[in-house]
Amino acid sequence: MPNLYITEPGARLEIDGGRIVVALGDDVLVSLPPGRVDTVVMVGRIGLTTPALGVLLDAGIDLLLLDSQGRYRGRLVAERSRNVMLRQQQYRRADDPAFCLTAGRGIVEGKIRWWRMLVFFFSS
């Protein structure tokens, strides 16, 4: 599921009728159900209401806080984070030598193709 990035200075994250709402003054910038979001990323001076915080935690939605320059400030991870099952699956795949070899080959092949394209582009 997608992340919700809130970057508008002075915006606030709130709840209205069970929906996650990003508002700026009296204007609603975004309104969506909690089930459509994995993580909320707040960049800079963004407000957050206590009810919104409760809904994020109850829905297993993580909250990532960055300063206005995009530097990491902190993270709030819900107890029932939806990422737990994903991480478990990633760890299981990482223990599979055949998968790791296939994935590694794909990464190296992609990088070689990319470098060849750059060399061709700049040598033309």
Side-chain angles (χ1 to χ4, degrees):
M1 275 188 264
N3 297 330
L4 172 62
Y5 290 88
I6 307 172
T7 60
E8 187 69 34
R12 68 187 178 284
L13 181 68
E14 53 191 43
I15 295 298
D16 185 17
R19 293 176 67 86
I20 295 173
V21 173
V22 178
L24 183 61
D26 292 333
D27 297 328
V28 173
L29 305 176
V30 175
S31 175
L32 51 114
R36 300 276 318 270
V37 179
D38 242 358
T39 302
V40 173
V41 181
M42 294 175 39
V43 182
R45 287 184 342 103
I46 308 296
L48 173 68
T49 66
T50 304
L53 184 58
V55 167
L56 294 179
L57 292 172
D58 290 344
I61 299 170
D62 296 343
L63 177 64
L64 179 63
L65 304 168
L66 306 176
D67 69 13
S68 59
Q69 307 300 300
R71 290 185 297 259
Y72 180 79
R73 297 288 313 271
R75 180 178 204 114
L76 180 66
V77 179
E79 183 178 8
R80 299 179 300 138
S81 175
R82 291 180 281 199
N83 290 331
V84 170
M85 293 171 72
L86 173 64
R87 298 291 172 258
Q88 289 173 338
Q89 187 177 11
Q90 288 172 335
Y91 292 137
R92 281 193 293 276
R93 295 301 296 260
D95 284 337
D96 179 359
F99 173 80
C100 292
L101 182 61
T102 302
R105 283 183 176 150
I107 291 169
V108 171
E109 287 171 6
K111 287 182 177 259
I112 290 171
R113 272 190 245 119
W114 185 78
W115 277 105
R116 284 183 180 158
M117 180 188 71
L118 278 180
V119 168
F120 175 77
F121 179 75
F122 287 110
S123 64
S124 297

